[in-house]
Amino acid sequence: MNSKIYIETYGCQMNFADTEIVLGILKNKGYEVANSIDDADVILLNTCSIRDNAEQRIYGRLGNLKNLKNQKPELLLGILGCMAERLRKDLIEEKKIVDLVVGPDEYRRLPEYIDIAFNGEKGIGVRLSRTETYDDIEPHREDGLSAWISVMRGCDKFCTFCVVPFTRGRERSRSLQSVVQEVQNLSERGFKEVTLLGQNVNSYLDCENDFADLLEACAKVDRNMRIRFTTSHPQDLSDKLLYTIAENSNICNYIHLPVQSGSNRILELMNRTYTIEHYLNLIEKARKIIPGVSFSTDIIAGFPTETWQDHLATLEVMKQVRYDGAYMFKYSPREGTKAYRMEDDVPDEVKTKRLQEIIDLQQTISYQKNQELIGKEEVVLVEGFSRKSDEFLAGRTDTNKVVVFPKFYNIAVGDYVTVKINKATSATLFGEIVENFSFKESLNLKCV
Ligand code: SAH
Ligand code: SF4
Ligand code: F3S
């Protein structure tokens, strides 16, 4: 009988995409995907190291799984992903329950490491690669509407707070051809949305093709498919990319553009390589080139030496840009990074207070921005029933906002509908269907 694998995934979307690659690799070798944890012969945690609390959560989970392993000693437990890379042997030596530790560039050899572990030894593979992109691996994906596609791996930016360059290694891109082929396959399977992923997609390069070329090539595959992407670094977001978004109506008008801090002094200490003036100019230019574009961001509160003034500068940038959404974090020192050598001198209660102010401000802005949409019509991709009631459907706008509206007899999951917004909270829009929407027709309209 074939062994069954169960993977739990933590961290960013790239980790979720990697889990599908790992399952693709293991299925090729005859493994089956377990439906539940109790059914599994091998349990793998695909882990994240970005902040200390991410790692603590995984240690907690390992504690629970230890009990399961005590009852079922033949069960294999493994750590994949960024913690595997960061902690390596410590995980095996200190946390003796782990049988496998396999980092993000060694998944091709995972079947070998599992065999080693089944034979009673520890399977350890933590080498990083300059070339591995898993270009030829078909990820294992359940049928659905939305898919993630990693188009590049690693990061060369070395922001001083960040572990990613250490856990994911150097930047490398997949071939344009293989990404386009994957989009084509997903379109044939009925997917309606793909998100192209990379830690800094603006650095994508395959021969002379840059990220704008890749986006356009993907957008052409199926005009009924929405194309999203994340993450863009403010240093090298090109005009060409902005025009490509503007000219292709199925590339979503939504840019995740992490600012991290509003203070130039802190940005420099973070090695973010741009100034706030550059950042704000970029936002202004994008808004001119792409009417209706929306932005989200990442913000860190309490980076070393951050003063009250620096914090106020962050709040000021948030007010100027008026983001549609933000991911907001307390600074967490990570061993091995440059910032780790700076003193973590902002007390935790100050970090908490600043973070709360940032969250409160973002909530107010999100609420106001959503209120401004009342009376407007939005094109929504129907994703399913709303979380609260089967009488309502839910989907997202081009700008990634959730919209809830009463169900209608001939509207199905995967349809595009135009919804007139009549109510809004900071997190959700509510409305009524106005009409069925066809991307192709709207495209023709745009073209004449
Ligand atoms: N490559 C992306 C995202 C990287 S991780 C980018 O450059 O934006 C996602 C976010 O986690 C970062 O943008 C940052 O805001 C946050 N983050 C990374 N390291 C952190 C740390 N040590 N402490 C707190 N937040 C951190
Ligand atoms: Fe980390 Fe900076 Fe790379 Fe993003 S760009 S992954 S924050 S080093
Ligand atoms: Fe976490 Fe690694 Fe992603 S550290 S955020 S899983 S790249």
Side-chain angles (χ1 to χ4, degrees), residues 7 46 48 57 63 95 112 120 138 140 162 164 194 209 246 263 286 289 292 295 309 372 381 397 406 413 436 440:
I7 309 188
N46 193 359
C48 173
R57 202 171 144 214
K95 314 270 157 188
E112 276 174 55
E138 198 187 331
H140 165 79
C162 185
V164 172
V194 294
N209 293 307
S263 153
I289 296 174
F295 292 95
Q309 259 65 39
E372 288 160 17
L381 171 60
T397 65
V413 167
N436 241 318
K440 288 199 179 102

Side-chain angles (χ1 to χ4, degrees), residues 50-51 161 199 231 258 260 298 300 329-330 332 334:
I50 200 82
R51 284 166 293 273
F161 50 80
Q199 293 297 352
T231 296
Q260 313 295 2
D298 293 348
I300 297 178
F329 314 102
K330 269 200 260 185
S332 166
R334 310 310 290 136

Side-chain angles (χ1 to χ4, degrees), residues 10-15 46-51 54 81-83 163-164 167-168 199:
Y10 299 80
C12 63
Q13 290 140 356
M14 302 203 68
N15 250 17
N46 193 359
T47 61
C48 173
S49 289
I50 200 82
R51 284 166 293 273
C82 291
M83 266 172 93
V163 288
V164 172
T167 62
R168 296 257 164 186
Q199 293 297 352

